[in-house]
Amino acid sequence: MDYDVILIGGGPVGMMLAGELALAGVKVCILERLKSTTPFSRALTVHPRTLEIMDMRGLKSKLLDRGRRLPMGHFASLDTPLDFSVLDSSSNYTLFLPQSETEEVLEQWALNLGVEIRRETEALSVHQDEEGVAVRMSGPQGEGTLRSAYVVGTDGAKSLVRKQAEIPFEGHDATFMAILADAALPGLPPMSVVSRMAEKGIVSILPIDSTTYRILILDPERSSVSKHEPVTMEELRSSLIRTAGSDFGLAEAKWMSRFGNATRQASRYRENRLFLAGDAAHIHFPAGGQGMNVGLQEAANLGWKLAGAIKGWAPEWLLDSYHAERFPWSTAMLGNTEAQFTLIDTSPGVMELRGIMSKLLLHPEVNHQMAEQISALNVHYTSDDRAPYHVLNGKRSAELILRLKNGDLASSYQLLRSGKFLLLHLSSDAKNSGEWDRYGHLQVIEASLAAKAAHWDDVHTALIRPDGHIAWAVPVSDPDPASTIRDGVVRWAGELRSLTGDSGEQKPGVK
């Protein structure tokens, strides 16, 4: 094998997944057609759950240095914003940050971990067999073939991997096209915000920095234009005048594009040794800025599972859990973007509905529920049916402030930066017997809660997954906690004797 895993597509999702794999000691390569990181802003929003994941890998501060914190979000650009500041998270805000900046941070992280990135290289075909996957590619040195144990398609809506895996991409094509642009608008005061809805169309203008604005226009007169027809400056200017009544001194555009409401999802995210993540797995109307975030969350879910298969410790069921866990949440996300597109309409009936929805969002409970959905803080996975009952099982773990045995304070997110499982003993009778010391993908911590956290008061021990979800929480009332803890570790982190053969070699294979 040339590599353990080849990723086809080096956008933010590919870079995130590559870093996750490399963190676990997996030999990984990215094949990317572009010569360098995208210079365009594209996705502009990093949501709270994504920021939590970045915090678990030590990347959040690097993003904060480049972005602008916003305490509010939106659902279908309704008049009542979503209040992220009340969410139970240490990242209770969105980060306004161009995708180009996010990609740069992730790329540097991946490179520092030893990821090989082959740029100006295009995958031509993928073919899997019982032993691995052959990827035929074309690059600066001509055509060639690389082999790996697994391949992940992070190669966008037209995914080669999805097509060659013959995975259906179910849904519908666009019925409406809109315009995106990053442009200088000297006629606006610096950092102005414009949002208008009228019969002649919808326009939203947000400042990226003091001189550049993100422009989004839904212009009925241009709604049937092909996505492949380039946006021109004259078209952008005339659509601005129609929808906003002014071109605001439009001077130059750094980037212009079209997008639509096409909504599709791969029927499965895995075909034996081939996997899909990000836009390769689903496309949708970009309402609420969820797309890149969902892809990054998928990378965090898949990375440690795929690493476990490569390293030989993953239980048989673990790789299949990637589709089982992520598919329902992507389906829900596609549903809410469809609903938002329906609400972005200036017809009298929809405008009345928008008014009703805006009033509903004034109720804190309703607003909180919608904010959790858009921010992905509501994501939880089905509780392991073999685990003792605990309300935390399957839930994301909010950041815990812990007091370690030596008296120091530590964040649970800091303890997850190695990308390993965290076996967190919180009960006074919980001791590290050394039983798990040979598990290289598990760290054991004895601590107490230094600050109250919902549902944690009755936790004896918790096994926290590398992606920050709780795999197995043992209640204080458990009559035999040591045995229950052992069951949980073996269930999720594998039998110790299966980690290596007699020679210590890894045992990769389809799991």
Side-chain angles (χ1 to χ4, degrees):
M1 295 289 177
D2 298 296
Y3 302 97
D4 295 322
V5 181
I6 293 174
L7 305 179
I8 299 177
V13 177
M15 292 295 176
M16 181 75 193
L17 181 52
E20 289 290 293
L21 291 164
L23 194 62
V26 171
K27 186 179 181 183
V28 58
C29 173
I30 295 174
L31 305 184
E32 170 54 49
R33 291 184 297 108
L34 297 180
K35 186 176 182 179
S36 60
T37 302
T38 178
F40 306 123
S41 64
R42 297 189 183 275
L44 276 171
T45 303
V46 185
H47 278 308
R49 179 54 184 162
T50 307
L51 288 170
E52 288 184 342
I53 292 169
M54 295 297 182
D55 202 1
M56 294 174 204
R57 299 298 181 260
L59 299 174
K60 177 180 168 181
S61 61
K62 298 180 185 300
L63 297 178
L64 292 180
D65 288 343
R66 298 172 177 235
R68 189 165 76 248
R69 302 186 200 194
L70 300 175
M72 301 295 181
H74 74 88
F75 188 86
S77 297
L78 294 170
D79 289 341
T80 305
L82 301 179
D83 185 2
F84 286 174
S85 69
V86 299
L87 297 176
D88 179 24
S89 173
S90 52
S91 300
N92 55 350
Y93 48 84
T94 62
L95 191 66
F96 197 72
L97 181 68
Q99 179 178 320
S100 55
E101 301 275 344
T102 304
E103 278 192 32
E104 284 183 8
V105 169
L106 292 172
E107 180 179 25
Q108 193 57 56
W109 179 58
L111 288 170
N112 289 344
L113 290 168
V115 172
E116 182 177 346
I117 303 174
R118 297 192 180 205
R119 289 195 172 274
E120 298 182 272
T121 300
E122 182 174 7
L124 303 175
S125 68
V126 295
H127 176 75
Q128 61 177 323
D129 53 40
E130 291 185 0
E131 300 300 322
V133 186
V135 179
R136 190 166 62 89
M137 52 84 186
S138 175
Q141 279 73 51
E143 291 193 13
T145 299
L146 298 172
R147 283 190 64 82
S148 60
Y150 298 93
V151 164
V152 184
T154 52
D155 49 345
K158 297 179 180 180
S159 173
L160 171 76
V161 177
R162 187 187 65 243
K163 292 173 182 176
Q164 301 232 315
E166 298 183 344
I167 298 174
F169 203 34
E170 299 170 346
H172 65 79
D173 292 330
T175 61
F176 194 105
M177 298 304 299
I179 296 171
L180 274 181
D182 293 344
L185 300 176
L188 280 175
M191 307 304 287
S192 295
V193 174
V194 176
S195 180
R196 296 178 186 174
M197 295 189 68
E199 289 185 12
K200 291 185 177 180
I202 300 167
V203 63
S204 175
I205 300 175
L206 298 170
I208 296 176
D209 53 43
S210 59
T211 61
T212 308
Y213 289 85
R214 163 58 59 86
I215 304 168
L216 184 154
I217 304 174
L218 280 73
D219 181 355
E221 290 195 20
R222 304 296 295 168
S223 64
S224 59
V225 175
S226 168
K227 181 179 180 180
H228 305 293
E229 181 179 326
V231 181
T232 65
M233 284 291 288
E234 184 51 41
E235 179 185 8
L236 179 60
R237 180 175 286 105
S238 61
S239 286
L240 270 173
I241 292 171
R242 263 193 301 276
T243 57
S246 171
D247 67 359
F248 303 107
L250 175 65
E252 68 173 302
K254 297 181 180 179
W255 172 67
M256 297 182 289
S257 183
R258 296 188 200 279
F259 70 94
N261 64 325
T263 301
R264 293 188 177 277
Q265 182 170 209
S267 62
R268 56 189 183 277
Y269 289 5
R270 178 191 184 188
E271 181 62 33
N272 295 326
R273 293 180 177 273
L274 305 179
F275 293 81
L276 303 174
D279 288 352
H282 40 70
I283 59 171
H284 55 90
F285 183 69
Q290 299 170 88
M292 180 186 71
N293 290 275
V294 170
L296 293 171
Q297 292 153 26
E298 287 165 354
N301 184 286
L302 178 58
W304 61 277
K305 297 174 180 178
L306 201 49
I310 293 292
K311 295 298 184 180
W313 62 256
E316 293 290 331
W317 55 269
L318 192 61
L319 274 185
D320 283 334
S321 75
Y322 169 60
H323 170 89
E325 291 185 342
R326 292 306 311 178
F327 186 87
W329 291 102
S330 292
T331 302
M333 184 266 294
L334 298 185
N336 86 54
T337 57
E338 291 263 59
Q340 291 187 72
F341 179 77
T342 301
L343 283 169
I344 301 175
D345 191 315
T346 57
S347 62
V350 175
M351 291 299 287
E352 186 66 27
L353 180 58
R354 287 179 62 83
I356 294 171
M357 288 290 294
S358 290
K359 290 177 182 177
L360 285 173
L361 287 176
L362 291 172
H363 294 275
E365 298 85 357
V366 177
N367 196 298
H368 190 273
Q369 180 177 331
M370 296 303 296
E372 282 199 324
Q373 181 183 69
I374 296 299
S375 66
L377 292 185
N378 70 333
V379 172
H380 60 276
Y381 303 131
T382 302
S383 175
D384 188 340
D385 59 8
R386 298 191 187 183
Y389 171 77
H390 199 285
V391 68
L392 288 175
N393 285 338
K395 301 284 182 66
R396 59 169 263 280
S397 176
E399 183 177 25
L400 302 173
I401 305 302
L402 304 170
R403 189 171 300 282
L404 305 179
K405 285 183 66 177
N406 64 4
D408 291 346
L409 294 179
S411 156
S412 61
Y413 285 180
Q414 291 175 326
L415 297 174
L416 286 166
R417 287 181 182 173
S418 63
K420 299 178 181 180
F421 282 96
L422 174 61
L423 187 64
L424 180 61
H425 292 308
L426 293 175
S427 181
S428 59
D429 69 343
K431 303 295 180 185
N432 179 13
S433 64
E435 186 174 5
W436 313 117
D437 289 351
R438 286 186 293 157
Y439 276 62
H441 54 291
L442 173 73
Q443 60 175 326
V444 183
I445 297 292
E446 296 177 45
S448 59
L449 294 175
K452 290 187 68 65
H455 308 300
W456 281 88
D457 288 344
D458 68 338
V459 175
H460 179 286
T461 298
L463 180 63
I464 303 177
R465 301 166 17 161
D467 60 359
H469 282 260
I470 299 158
W472 193 279
V474 180
V476 172
S477 60
D478 191 288
D480 186 5
S483 178
T484 306
I485 293 165
R486 186 177 300 108
D487 289 345
V489 173
V490 171
R491 165 80 170 153
W492 281 87
E495 292 273 9
L496 182 60
R497 62 177 177 270
S498 72
L499 294 182
T500 61
D502 294 338
S503 65
E505 293 179 354
Q506 297 171 3
K507 296 182 177 180
V510 176
K511 299 293 181 182

